[in-house]
Amino acid sequence: GEDVEQSLFLSVREGDSSVINCTYTDSSSTYLYWYKQEPGAGLQLLTYIFSNMDMKQDQRLTVLLNKKDKHLSLRIADTQTGDSAIYFCAEKQGAQKLVFGQGTRLTINP
Amino acid sequence: DAGITQSPRHKVTETGTPVTLRCHQTENHRYMYWYRQDPGHGLRLIHYSYGVKDTDKGEVSDGYSVSRSKTEDFLLTLESATSSQTSVYFCAISENTVGYEQYFGPGTRLTVT
């Protein structure tokens, strides 16, 4: 499948906004997803966006999609210590398959 | 974890031995998946199932087989484990909902010595 790329690390101060970026290459993707993984746990679905949307907001989370540049971002407002985790973006390819990025480890500094 | 359990949660085995991992769901979802997670690779699809007895290969299927005899159970078998199969294995489920979301189990950490 096509590759999904993410930066591996992001460090922010508590209370600031975090922006996690992702690029994908399959222009036919219909859905894109953000998952959160805490240490020793499985992946928790945070949100998803349909490819005909530019933005989706859900409480502290804002997803932006630039389909022309194949760029997806996740903004977390007022970042808290509980937001420390690895964040994965994924794109739907074909009927049921998801292709994941490598994950971005978010660290919160007090 | 959306009614998904995996067993065992941890296993250490020796090279060359057979290993079977089990995924059990209580959601009656049609689709089930096995992924492996390795540092620097994110999650990679091993096999998936789109119904009882209906399975297909993912991108890293070599050395693995699967079976699904009931809607609720999806088994992953390593016929002869190798050290390269040391990994964390995740099961996921999905249904034909609007977003085709996949929901993940807690994972099985497998170490092959």
Side-chain angles (χ1 to χ4, degrees):
Chain A
E2 303 283 347
D3 287 341
V4 177
E5 298 284 340
Q6 299 178 241
S7 53
L8 296 182
F9 302 98
L10 177 65
S11 180
V12 299
R13 283 196 312 183
E14 188 174 1
D16 288 352
S17 291
S18 305
V19 179
I20 303 170
N21 295 301
C22 172
T23 58
Y24 62 99
T25 54
D26 187 350
S27 58
S28 65
S29 292
T30 52
Y31 289 92
L32 296 125
Y33 307 83
W34 284 105
Y35 284 86
K36 176 183 180 183
Q37 185 181 34
E38 298 185 43
L43 275 70
Q44 172 194 354
L45 178 66
L46 289 177
T47 187
Y48 65 89
I49 188 167
F50 188 47
S51 59
N52 69 350
M53 298 170 64
D54 298 325
M55 185 182 83
K56 182 178 181 181
Q57 188 154 3
D58 183 1
Q59 298 182 337
R60 292 191 298 120
L61 305 180
T62 303
V63 178
L64 295 178
L65 176 60
N66 181 330
K67 198 172 181 184
K68 174 176 169 289
D69 295 336
K70 300 189 184 70
H71 183 265
L72 181 73
S73 67
L74 174 70
R75 177 178 180 268
I76 305 172
D78 187 23
T79 308
Q80 304 297 310
T81 55
D83 296 323
S84 292
I86 301 175
Y87 291 82
F88 292 91
C89 68
E91 62 172 339
K92 181 174 178 291
Q93 291 186 359
Q96 287 293 334
K97 298 179 185 179
L98 295 188
V99 174
F100 286 82
Q102 311 97 305
T104 299
R105 183 181 297 274
L106 177 63
T107 303
I108 315 303
N109 301 314
Chain B
D1 289 319
I4 309 168
T5 56
Q6 292 185 231
S7 57
R9 292 293 313 280
H10 302 271
K11 186 170 182 66
V12 179
T13 192
E14 293 184 348
T15 299
T17 60
V19 177
T20 296
L21 308 182
R22 179 181 183 238
C23 177
H24 179 77
Q25 60 143 330
T26 58
E27 305 295 323
N28 201 36
H29 280 17
R30 176 181 175 187
Y31 301 93
M32 299 185 75
Y33 311 80
W34 278 107
Y35 291 89
R36 60 179 289 174
Q37 183 179 25
D38 304 291
H41 289 280
L43 276 79
R44 292 179 292 175
L45 182 65
I46 305 171
H47 282 280
Y48 67 101
S49 169
Y50 46 95
V52 173
K53 296 193 187 330
D54 292 322
T55 65
D56 204 351
K57 296 179 180 180
E59 63 176 306
V60 290
S61 60
D62 287 348
Y64 302 95
S65 62
V66 290
S67 65
R68 192 168 177 200
S69 59
K70 298 185 289 185
T71 299
E72 57 266 35
D73 289 325
F74 193 32
L75 303 181
L76 177 71
T77 297
L78 292 65
E79 300 290 348
S80 177
T82 67
S83 57
S84 65
Q85 294 175 311
T86 292
S87 187
V88 181
Y89 291 86
F90 288 100
C91 173
I93 64 174
S94 71
E95 193 46 87
N96 282 330
T97 54
V98 171
Y100 299 91
E101 311 97 287
Q102 291 187 16
Y103 297 96
F104 283 77
T108 294
R109 182 173 294 276
L110 176 68
T111 303
V112 184
T113 61

